[in-house]
């Protein structure tokens, strides 16, 4: 039984004051909602304030980071480690978001190292994968996503299935207002689950949660999340508005 998961990726928005305001507004709207796990991923600088506020208000919201470095400590200027985040109460980290792959230039070798660091550090990893519009139009979407998973999951074994979340985020759907159709998202996510099944067996594949991300909004969330293999959503723009995000959270419980 996979509990639906809705994660807000705030990207490079919300300083620490704005972030606390947003999480307070969100909690007011979803405090009583059951049957869905919810998490937010503020920018690094806002994590301490949000973490403290969540504890003060006894919020049962998950707290995640948008990225992390793969070493525990050392001379890595500008980087932040898994233990540093864990000490703040961060329980999950996004790895391999397409914006980091495309803008920052992270390749699959780096993503694979980050994934292992997150999981070995006892956190949940949200591994992002997805194809560009050109790749989809050329009929290469499945090869692209399958190839990313092969490289990013190298050396990772079935025992960590509980700590792995995969997010299928077609790049052409991110921030564009054009979401994948529920059928297209379902088709890819079922392909991802089959891939996990081949790698780790059916039991693990049944346990791994696979999210959809890319222009998830209150008016399309329910049609996407109700597909059989889609276990929730990774939400960008709509997670910055408490009422929109709360609606998406409610859509996950039908
Ligand atoms: P949007 O919801 O703004 O399209 O962003 C999706 C995303 O990149 C989440 O990680």
């Amino acid at each position: 039984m996979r509990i639906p998961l809705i994660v807000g990726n705030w990207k490079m928005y919300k300083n620490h004051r704005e972030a606390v305001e947003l999480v307070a507004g969100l909690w007011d709207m979803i405090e009583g909602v059951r049957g869905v796990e919810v998490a937010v991923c503020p920018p690094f600088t806002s994590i301490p304030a949000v973490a403290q506020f969540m504890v003060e208000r006894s919020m049962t919201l998950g707290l995640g980071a948008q990225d992390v470095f793969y070493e525990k400590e050392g001379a890595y200027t500008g980087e932040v480690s898994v233990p540093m985040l864990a000490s703040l109460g961060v329980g999950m980290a996004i790895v391999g978001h397409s914006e980091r792959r495309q803008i920052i230039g992270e390749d699959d070798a780096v993503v694979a190292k980050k994934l292992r660091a997150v999981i070995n550090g006892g956190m949940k990893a949200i591994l992002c994968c997805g194809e560009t519009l050109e790749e989809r139009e050329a009929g290469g979407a499945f090869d692209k996503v399958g190839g990313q998973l092969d490289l990013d999951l190298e050396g990772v074994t079935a025992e960590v299935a509980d700590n792995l979340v995969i997010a299928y985020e077609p790049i052409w759907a991110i921030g564009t207002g054009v979401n994948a159709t529920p059928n297209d998202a379902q088709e890819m996510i079922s392909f991802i689950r089959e891939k996990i099944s081949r790698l780790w067996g059916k039991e693990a594949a049944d346990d791994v949660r696979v999210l959809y991300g890319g222009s998830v909004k209150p008016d399309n969330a329910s049609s996407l999340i109700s597909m059989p293999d889609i276990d929730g959503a990774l939400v960008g723009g709509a997670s910055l508005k408490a009422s929109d995000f709360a609606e998406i959270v409610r859509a996950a419980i039908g």
Side-chain angles (χ1 to χ4, degrees):
M1 175 57 191
R2 302 186 299 267
I3 299 164
L5 171 65
I6 305 293
V7 181
N9 173 9
W10 293 358
K11 306 194 178 181
M12 201 173 72
Y13 293 99
K14 306 291 175 189
N15 68 30
H16 66 290
R17 282 182 293 271
E18 297 162 338
V20 166
E21 242 173 72
L22 178 54
V23 85
L26 174 65
W27 188 241
D28 281 348
M29 292 175 198
I30 64 164
E31 184 174 358
V33 178
R34 299 285 176 271
V36 53
E37 197 183 324
V38 182
V40 295
C41 302
F44 286 135
T45 49
S46 297
I47 285 178
V50 170
Q52 197 186 338
F53 190 69
M54 283 178 168
V55 170
E56 281 167 15
R57 301 289 169 96
S58 310
M59 294 183 187
T60 51
L61 280 177
L63 182 59
Q66 299 172 19
D67 180 42
V68 68
F69 195 58
Y70 48 76
E71 297 291 353
K72 290 194 176 78
E73 63 178 9
Y76 303 104
T77 302
E79 297 297 339
V80 173
S81 73
V82 172
M84 287 170 180
L85 291 166
S87 71
L88 288 169
V90 170
M92 62 180 76
I94 297 172
V95 293
H97 192 281
S98 63
E99 284 151 13
R100 297 207 59 84
R101 293 178 190 259
Q102 292 198 309
I103 303 168
I104 317 291
E106 277 184 15
D107 62 14
D108 286 300
V110 168
V111 174
K113 281 194 201 175
K114 290 186 172 186
L115 182 82
R116 277 197 294 272
V118 169
I119 288 175
N120 293 340
M123 271 188 202
K124 273 190 171 50
I126 303 179
L127 171 65
C128 298
C129 55
E131 80 286 357
T132 63
L133 187 59
E134 297 73 55
E135 287 161 344
R136 175 155 284 263
E137 284 176 349
F142 293 89
D143 282 350
K144 168 70 178 291
V145 169
Q148 283 180 323
L149 294 181
D150 280 336
L151 294 169
D152 300 346
L153 293 175
E154 211 187 314
V156 180
T157 52
E159 294 81 68
V160 308
D162 283 348
N163 279 333
L164 177 71
V165 175
I166 297 174
Y168 168 54
E169 298 209 306
I171 294 166
W172 47 270
I174 296 178
T176 59
V178 181
N179 58 286
T181 65
N183 283 333
D184 284 348
Q186 162 62 28
E187 192 185 16
M188 181 61 86
I189 288 178
S190 137
F191 165 83
I192 291 171
R193 208 177 293 289
E194 275 165 31
K195 174 124 203 129
I196 298 295
S197 179
R198 278 196 303 279
L199 282 175
W200 296 343
K202 187 169 176 335
E203 206 177 310
D206 285 342
D207 286 348
V208 168
R209 285 183 290 184
V210 189
L211 313 181
Y212 167 78
S215 297
V216 176
K217 306 288 176 202
D219 62 0
N220 61 23
S222 146
S223 61
L224 287 157
I225 300 166
S226 61
M227 298 307 279
D229 278 297
I230 304 183
D231 301 315
L234 181 54
V235 185
S239 70
L240 297 171
K241 195 171 162 205
S243 57
D244 282 359
F245 192 61
E247 257 191 79
I248 294 170
V249 168
R250 280 191 290 268
I253 47 171

